[in-house]
Amino acid sequence: MKAVVLVAGKGTRMEPLTSDCPKVMLQVANKPILEHILNAAVEAGIEGFVFITGYLEEQIKAHFGDGSKWGVSIEYVQQKEQLGTANAIGYARGHVEGTFIVLNGDMLIGQEDLKSLVSRKEEAVICVKEVENPSDFGVLETENNKVVRIIEKPKNPPTNLANAGIYLFRESIFDLIDKTQLSVRKELEITDSIQMLIDSGAPVGYSPLEGRWIDIGYPWDLLKANEHLLKDLVGCCEGTVEPNATIKGEVAIGKGTLIRNGSYIEGPVVIGENCDIGPNCFIRPSTAIGNRVRIGNAVEVKNTIVMEGTHVGHLSYVGDSVIGRRCNFGAGTKVANLRHDGKNIKVMLKSRILDSGRRKLGVIMGDDVHTGINTSINIGVIMHKGRATLPGEVVKH
């Protein structure tokens, strides 16, 4: 069986992290989001993949190639114009036969749930997740264990079964996609195609997700995914740890990495290749440090994603943050991550104020940001690619 994976979008809500990187290639637990999805699908028995690509597709192709590294085949089909989910899935016509599954490249799902999905025999199956706020999702109305209607963001939801955006289809879905009309959002929605299938009398089932399901829609969702994935980390050391460094818990250290004396690392923590860590730094749980990262003397890093090539200069603190590639923290840079009143941190994103849902959130920092010495960065700040601060600057928004 093959999996069609939708990876064409830029992920505008993830800016500035996606300025030069497809959303699906952002690193979580030191691997691209898409690689975690592929690994789960391979474990579930999927042997072939069709990636529906678009934005910066060359980065995806360069990383995954023909799939031989994972023992699978990967085909690439470019979605020339992004007109919705039905349009994207339609590009897989001629590349799949019989039954296939559809995955979103920004949704993490457990392998056991995928195994359950691929074993189903109906004409179509929709994965669902029981949620507390179903009115924020597409909701399934069911009868006799079958789907009878899909309702987008209903005011009075008939169930708490949210559409998780993961499907099993047969080739018959392509004929219905051809008949699908533009929605009020001016998109071709796969849920409209499925509703036509239901109305034709074909059996459409649903499959509850029992394991993880993380929809990575906003930058801070990367932290949630990172925390979750690192829970399964098994420690290993392929680098060098000097005798007076302390490694506690599950810590994975990559090739060519040096952990200097006085460093204290408390897992789960993953550190990439050719990093220089310490001396006398404190790296706390749920931290992922990419390749070629420098963590200086007397630095504390906590629950943070630090992407490749970044330097965090001595006497700095960063917590609950996502730091892009090739950034440089001047000495004494401090990141705030907690409101005085303890309430959820709000973020200004594309002129909208959003509740992050997180009590602790530091900075979302794009690539190539440089901070001057003794810079202070307030909670929930987004710093765009190439931004620089002066010595002693306070970044409030």
Side-chain angles (χ1 to χ4, degrees):
M1 183 182 291
K2 286 186 176 182
V4 175
V5 191
L6 310 184
V7 298
K10 177 180 180 180
T12 55
R13 293 184 302 179
M14 299 294 288
E15 291 181 344
L17 300 175
T18 53
S19 294
D20 290 311
C21 180
K23 177 181 179 180
V24 300
M25 294 301 291
L26 293 173
Q27 299 264 321
V28 180
N30 278 15
K31 291 180 181 177
I33 298 168
L34 182 54
E35 187 170 343
H36 291 290
I37 295 168
L38 182 142
N39 286 336
V42 170
E43 291 294 328
I46 299 298
E47 298 176 342
F49 293 82
V50 180
F51 287 174
I52 309 300
T53 60
Y55 178 66
L56 296 178
E57 64 176 353
E58 63 277 3
Q59 293 187 28
I60 300 172
K61 291 179 177 180
H63 185 85
F64 291 98
D66 62 3
S68 56
K69 179 180 175 181
W70 292 268
V72 298
S73 65
I74 298 178
E75 300 175 71
Y76 299 90
V77 182
Q78 185 183 54
Q79 185 181 6
K80 294 180 174 61
E81 188 177 7
Q82 294 177 29
L83 295 173
T85 50
N87 173 254
I89 295 167
Y91 276 88
R93 187 197 297 265
H95 298 272
V96 293
E97 295 180 357
T99 304
F100 63 97
I101 64 172
V102 174
L103 305 173
N104 275 291
D106 57 1
M107 289 182 183
L108 297 181
I109 182 173
Q111 59 179 325
E112 293 303 322
D113 285 322
L114 284 179
K115 286 180 180 177
S116 176
L117 178 64
V118 300
S119 67
R120 298 289 290 267
K121 305 300 182 184
E122 294 97 327
E123 193 71 15
V125 179
I126 305 171
C127 285
V128 297
K129 187 72 174 179
E130 294 186 6
V131 296
E132 295 180 358
N133 53 335
S135 58
D136 292 341
F137 299 87
V139 176
L140 274 61
E141 182 178 344
T142 64
E143 187 177 294
N144 298 323
N145 293 321
K146 300 296 179 187
V147 181
V148 297
R149 193 159 61 116
I150 306 170
I151 314 166
E152 285 298 324
K153 298 182 179 180
K155 292 183 179 179
N156 299 299
T159 69
N160 65 342
L161 299 177
N163 178 5
I166 297 163
Y167 308 98
L168 179 142
F169 291 126
R170 300 186 186 279
E171 287 181 86
S172 57
I173 195 66
F174 294 122
D175 292 334
L176 295 172
I177 288 174
D178 289 342
K179 299 175 183 177
T180 301
Q181 302 295 312
L182 289 173
S183 68
V184 293
R185 298 194 303 174
K186 303 300 181 183
E187 293 187 353
L188 300 173
E189 312 276 4
I190 193 60
T191 49
D192 291 340
S193 309
I194 297 171
Q195 189 64 55
M196 283 192 283
L197 186 63
I198 294 168
D199 294 343
S200 73
V204 174
Y206 60 94
S207 181
L209 298 179
E210 304 294 340
R212 70 165 175 252
W213 175 65
I214 302 175
D215 182 4
I216 303 175
Y218 293 100
W220 47 89
D221 292 331
L222 293 169
L223 294 175
K224 179 180 178 182
N226 194 60
E227 293 163 22
H228 187 90
L229 290 168
L230 287 181
K231 290 177 182 177
D232 299 328
L233 182 69
V234 177
C236 63
C237 181
E238 298 181 86
T240 301
V241 179
E242 293 185 344
N244 293 317
T246 300
I247 308 295
K248 182 180 179 182
E250 301 297 333
V251 177
I253 300 169
K255 295 178 182 178
T257 288
L258 174 62
I259 310 296
R260 297 180 182 273
N261 285 325
S263 299
Y264 192 103
I265 305 175
E266 183 179 354
V269 167
V270 59
I271 302 173
E273 298 180 355
N274 301 310
C275 296
D276 189 347
I277 308 297
N280 306 313
C281 64
F282 185 18
I283 300 177
R284 294 168 59 185
S286 299
T287 293
I289 295 173
N291 297 333
R292 301 181 301 281
V293 168
R294 171 83 176 97
I295 303 294
N297 177 55
V299 168
E300 182 175 346
V301 183
K302 171 245 180 191
N303 193 39
T304 288
I305 297 171
V306 183
M307 298 185 190
E308 63 181 38
T310 284
H311 292 187
V312 182
H314 52 286
L315 303 171
S316 296
Y317 172 79
V318 55
D320 303 280
S321 299
V322 181
I323 310 300
R325 300 170 296 183
R326 302 177 302 276
C327 295
N328 190 83
F329 280 48
T333 296
K334 305 293 193 301
V335 177
N337 62 342
L338 178 67
R339 284 172 53 139
H340 291 314
D341 58 11
K343 293 182 179 179
N344 285 356
I345 292 173
K346 295 181 180 180
V347 181
M348 176 71 78
L349 187 65
K350 289 188 171 294
S351 302
R352 295 174 57 209
I353 297 177
L354 302 176
D355 185 343
S356 69
R358 297 183 65 91
R359 184 170 165 269
K360 290 188 176 183
L361 179 63
V363 63
I364 307 299
M365 184 177 287
D367 296 342
D368 303 302
V369 171
H370 288 211
T371 67
I373 62 169
N374 295 324
T375 293
S376 296
I377 303 173
N378 200 16
I379 56 171
V381 162
I382 291 179
M383 299 183 72
H384 288 273
K385 178 185 175 181
R387 170 93 155 85
T389 68
L390 297 172
E393 186 172 346
V394 178
V395 184
K396 294 182 179 180
H397 51 77

